[in-house]
Amino acid sequence: MQTTNSTEQQIIDAARKIFMHKGFSGARMQDIADEAGINKAMLHYYYRSKDKLFDMVFNEAVEKLLSRVSAVFTADLLLEDKIQGVIGSYISSIAENPYLPLFIMNEINQDPDRIIDRFVNTPSFPNIQEFMMMLNAEMDKGTIRRVDPVQLMISIVAMCVFPFIAKPLLKAVFKIGDPAFAQFIEERKAFVSSFVLSALRP
Amino acid sequence: MQTTNSTEQQIIDAARKIFMHKGFSGARMQDIADEAGINKAMLHYYYRSKDKLFDMVFNEAVEKLLSRVSAVFTADLLLEDKIQGVIGSYISSIAENPYLPLFIMNEINQDPDRIIDRFVNTPSFPNIQEFMMMLNAEMDKGTIRRVDPVQLMISIVAMCVFPFIAKPLLKAVFKIGDPAFAQFIEERKAFVSSFVLSALRP
DNA sequence: TGAGGTATTAACCAAATGGTTAAACGCTTC
DNA sequence: GAAGCGTTTAACCATTTGGTTAATACCTCA
């Protein structure tokens, strides 16, 4: 059924946009209806409540974010190439959904317990073990400096994600506009890769 | 007047707590009144509206955050000692106000324009120039590797701040509790310092 | 064509929420 | 002790907001 799918999809798209920008409590059902160009009652016709609609958007977002974090941690090539490639594609993929990280962080903080169940069952849960074992192997071989793998992983994600979370702040502090920021992000791929690899030199 | 000051202060403290945890739209005036242990009408007696009360809390928070970011960027010692000392104290000071960064990021994203005016007039606006010149001087001397100073600064802040923004996520992903997280933060001071300095080796 | 189901809407409702008001309380001062 | 003042409260108000309902438009299929 075309019409049904279309309307359902329009609602999800609108809900994603509004929830991402305003958060759960800041989002109004009327805003979502307007954004989707439909009547407010339709939201309740397809998705029973604001909570249900939010869950739909939120789960999708978590899934997306986790699969991206997974990509960073999953490694089966040479460390150097892997880090380089993975950081680049990670930054690129967030650039396509710049509001995703802040949205997730924020909503998780609102209600930390809600997320935990979700995580255990998520298929794309990051494979941390594999990446840590790879790091340990390289450290044993002496090809990279010995560091705490967890601290390292979090640092990599931090350097990739933070610019998007802090975008308006950074634009103000460094007095740059949107084009310059986009260029900054593009350059950041190479910077983070080389920064991390430099830090790992024995 | 003791009572006045006390009540006023109670309100501010309560408002800070509620706004920080729930954000502007998620916070209820009744919540703040309850937290302060007073009648809701008192909030309007001392501060005219929710917006006014929020501004009070928000400005204070911005001031606090900026002065801390400033501390990172202000440098007048040897680079190595400076970086080490500053990262440590920066992480410590955020640890005392772990909700501050996410709160600021989030509210700025809600209404980016509001912050810009605020920034220009803030006395504790970070002295970026000084730090950048210092970095450039060291690069010219060849004591550190040549990197983009802006990318570097943002990376340092990212590594310090991100763990607090992502705390519930990290706790879930790495399956750690509050004590382990506190230890992680404590260890992070040394890690980030040594990571940055290692990355800057020529 | 029209019966039957689905999609859509306008109007409505109850609860929550920011904000107001008028009365009461308590303290100081004469 | 009561006049005068700032403080505090309970009750109230108007608007917003999530959610419902009953009627209507639309679409398919016999």
Side-chain angles (χ1 to χ4, degrees):
Chain A
M1 275 183 186
Q2 262 197 347
T3 312
T4 302
N5 282 337
S6 167
T7 302
E8 266 187 60
Q9 195 55 44
Q10 268 177 300
I11 293 177
I12 284 284
D13 291 344
R16 189 187 308 118
K17 181 171 174 183
I18 300 294
F19 278 134
M20 288 251 182
H21 277 79
K22 307 199 171 181
F24 177 79
S25 54
R28 297 288 101 94
M29 291 298 266
Q30 190 59 59
D31 296 341
I32 297 174
D34 291 347
E35 176 71 29
I38 56 164
N39 189 287
K40 180 165 69 88
M42 292 294 283
L43 303 180
H44 295 92
Y45 179 74
Y46 283 104
Y47 310 87
R48 296 167 45 108
S49 66
K50 186 183 182 183
D51 284 85
K52 291 274 181 13
L53 186 53
F54 180 81
D55 277 357
M56 200 104 354
V57 170
F58 184 74
N59 288 339
E60 179 197 89
V62 167
E63 178 63 28
K64 213 182 266 181
L65 184 80
L66 280 189
S67 67
R68 282 164 188 184
V69 175
S70 271
V72 179
F73 291 159
T74 302
D76 50 14
L77 298 177
L78 290 175
L79 190 70
E80 187 165 328
D81 299 333
K82 192 67 190 177
I83 285 184
Q84 215 151 356
V86 127
I87 288 176
S89 67
Y90 189 44
I91 291 181
S92 292
S93 83
I94 298 182
E96 287 166 22
N97 272 269
Y99 288 97
L100 194 62
L102 184 58
F103 171 69
I104 303 263
M105 303 302 155
N106 203 50
E107 296 303 328
I108 290 182
N109 255 285
Q110 301 288 303
D111 188 355
D113 292 332
R114 170 172 49 186
I115 200 63
I116 291 180
D117 300 341
R118 206 84 69 202
F119 268 18
V120 195
N121 309 335
T122 299
S124 56
F125 193 82
N127 188 343
I128 300 169
Q129 295 308 322
E130 192 184 343
F131 187 74
M132 279 177 58
M133 281 167 60
M134 179 175 173
L135 283 175
N136 279 322
E138 297 289 332
M139 289 182 215
D140 288 342
K141 274 196 288 177
T143 50
I144 63 172
R145 209 163 54 86
R146 188 163 289 283
V147 296
D148 179 343
V150 173
Q151 295 277 3
L152 174 60
M153 281 187 272
I154 292 179
S155 299
I156 292 176
V157 174
M159 285 189 282
C160 292
V161 170
F162 182 76
F164 296 97
I165 292 180
K167 178 177 173 181
L169 195 74
L170 299 179
K171 281 175 63 180
V173 170
F174 294 103
K175 298 184 174 59
I176 56 179
D178 275 319
F181 188 81
Q183 197 198 335
F184 163 80
I185 291 297
E186 199 50 40
E187 287 170 5
R188 187 150 186 85
K189 298 173 190 173
F191 175 86
V192 173
S193 298
S194 110
F195 192 78
V196 170
L197 290 174
S198 293
L200 290 180
R201 282 173 299 167
Chain B
M1 274 185 184
Q2 263 195 347
T3 311
T4 302
N5 282 337
S6 167
T7 302
E8 267 186 61
Q9 194 55 44
Q10 269 177 300
I11 293 177
I12 284 283
D13 291 344
R16 188 186 310 116
K17 181 171 174 183
I18 301 294
F19 278 134
M20 289 250 183
H21 278 78
K22 307 199 171 182
F24 177 80
S25 54
R28 295 289 102 95
M29 291 298 266
Q30 191 59 57
D31 295 342
I32 297 174
D34 291 347
E35 176 71 29
I38 56 165
N39 190 288
K40 181 164 69 89
M42 293 293 283
L43 303 180
H44 295 93
Y45 179 74
Y46 284 103
Y47 310 88
R48 296 169 44 107
S49 66
K50 186 183 182 184
D51 284 87
K52 291 273 180 14
L53 186 54
F54 179 81
D55 277 357
M56 200 105 353
V57 170
F58 184 74
N59 288 339
E60 179 197 270
V62 167
E63 178 63 29
K64 213 181 265 181
L65 184 79
L66 279 189
S67 67
R68 281 165 188 185
V69 175
S70 271
V72 179
F73 290 158
T74 302
D76 52 13
L77 299 176
L78 290 176
L79 190 71
E80 188 166 327
D81 298 334
K82 192 65 190 177
I83 285 183
Q84 214 153 356
V86 126
I87 287 176
S89 67
Y90 189 43
I91 291 181
S92 293
S93 83
I94 298 182
E96 287 165 23
N97 273 268
Y99 288 96
L100 195 62
L102 185 58
F103 171 69
I104 303 263
M105 302 301 155
N106 203 50
E107 296 303 328
I108 290 182
N109 255 285
Q110 300 289 303
D111 187 356
D113 292 332
R114 169 171 50 184
I115 200 63
I116 291 180
D117 299 341
R118 205 85 69 201
F119 269 19
V120 195
N121 308 336
T122 298
S124 55
F125 193 81
N127 188 344
I128 300 169
Q129 295 308 322
E130 193 184 343
F131 187 74
M132 278 177 58
M133 282 167 59
M134 179 175 171
L135 282 176
N136 278 322
E138 297 288 333
M139 289 182 214
D140 289 343
K141 276 197 286 178
T143 50
I144 63 173
R145 208 163 55 87
R146 188 164 290 284
V147 296
D148 179 343
V150 173
Q151 295 276 4
L152 174 60
M153 281 187 272
I154 292 179
S155 299
I156 292 176
V157 174
M159 285 188 282
C160 292
V161 170
F162 181 76
F164 296 97
I165 293 180
K167 178 176 173 181
L169 195 74
L170 298 180
K171 282 175 63 180
V173 171
F174 294 103
K175 299 184 175 58
I176 56 179
D178 274 319
F181 188 82
Q183 196 198 334
F184 163 79
I185 291 296
E186 199 50 39
E187 288 169 5
R188 187 149 187 86
K189 296 173 190 172
F191 175 85
V192 173
S193 299
S194 110
F195 192 78
V196 169
L197 290 175
S198 293
L200 289 180
R201 282 173 299 167

